[in-house]
């Protein structure tokens, strides 16, 4: 089976062809750098994505806090990650980069705050 992947690791956006036969990568063509080669292998064998969302924040200026995973998580875990974020509440103040939740959905990734939110007075 021939898979086509558009690399997102550098500005080149190489279109990479990955040939898979009997669950084994037989060839990879079209990558312009080592990052593209690694990306293509990962994308066809274990695709991952960074999850961005919001959670409820209590006592802050805004009702929602933007958050993201500290690293990409396997695509098959995204729904589980989102479901764990649904009921999550955070108390202000929060600083950008603070860890909100460790090891979400058993992925090894943490949930990180993406914005400073001060307490309301």
């Amino acid at each position: 089976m021939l898979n086509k992947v558009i690399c997102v690791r550098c500005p080149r956006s190489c279109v990479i062809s990955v040939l898979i036969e009997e669950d084994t990568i037989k060839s990879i063509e079209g990558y312009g750098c080592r990052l593209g080669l690694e990306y293509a292998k990962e994308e066809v064998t274990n695709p991952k994505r960074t999850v961005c969302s919001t959670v409820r924040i209590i006592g802050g200026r805004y009702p929602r806090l933007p958050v993201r995973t500290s690293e990409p998580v396997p695509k098959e875990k995204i729904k589980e990650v989102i479901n764990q974020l649904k009921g999550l509440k955070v108390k202000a103040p929060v600083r950008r980069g603070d860890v909100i939740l460790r090891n979400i959905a058993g992925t090894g990734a943490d949930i990180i705050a993406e914005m400073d939110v001060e307490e309301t007075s």
Side-chain angles (χ1 to χ4, degrees):
M1 179 161 114
L2 185 63
N3 295 282
K4 295 269 186 184
V5 175
I6 298 174
C7 183
V8 296
R9 294 277 168 92
C10 79
R12 288 182 176 173
S13 299
C14 296
V15 178
I16 304 169
S17 299
V18 182
L19 180 62
I20 298 177
E21 293 177 358
E22 300 175 9
D23 295 328
T24 303
I25 296 174
K26 295 296 182 182
S27 68
I28 301 177
E29 298 175 352
Y31 60 92
C33 64
R34 180 185 53 78
L35 292 174
L37 176 63
E38 292 170 6
Y39 177 78
K41 285 179 186 177
E42 184 175 275
E43 188 63 16
V44 298
T45 59
N46 184 24
K48 296 180 179 180
R49 300 291 182 270
T50 299
V51 176
C52 300
S53 188
T54 61
V55 297
R56 187 166 174 213
I57 188 159
I58 308 300
R61 180 175 177 183
Y62 306 104
R64 308 290 295 175
L65 172 70
V67 296
R68 66 168 173 85
T69 53
S70 60
E71 59 190 69
V73 299
K75 279 179 75 173
E76 67 268 7
K77 289 280 199 167
I78 291 174
K79 188 173 186 175
E80 190 176 342
V81 168
I82 295 298
N83 285 338
Q84 284 190 13
L85 292 176
K86 283 182 181 176
L88 188 61
K89 296 176 188 173
V90 179
K91 189 171 180 347
V94 175
R95 297 283 167 252
R96 184 170 194 248
D98 285 355
V99 175
I100 304 302
L101 182 64
R102 294 202 181 276
N103 192 25
I104 187 127
T107 62
D110 300 330
I111 296 299
I112 305 293
E114 279 295 293
M115 181 172 93
D116 292 343
V117 177
E118 301 295 332
E119 265 184 295
T120 55
S121 42

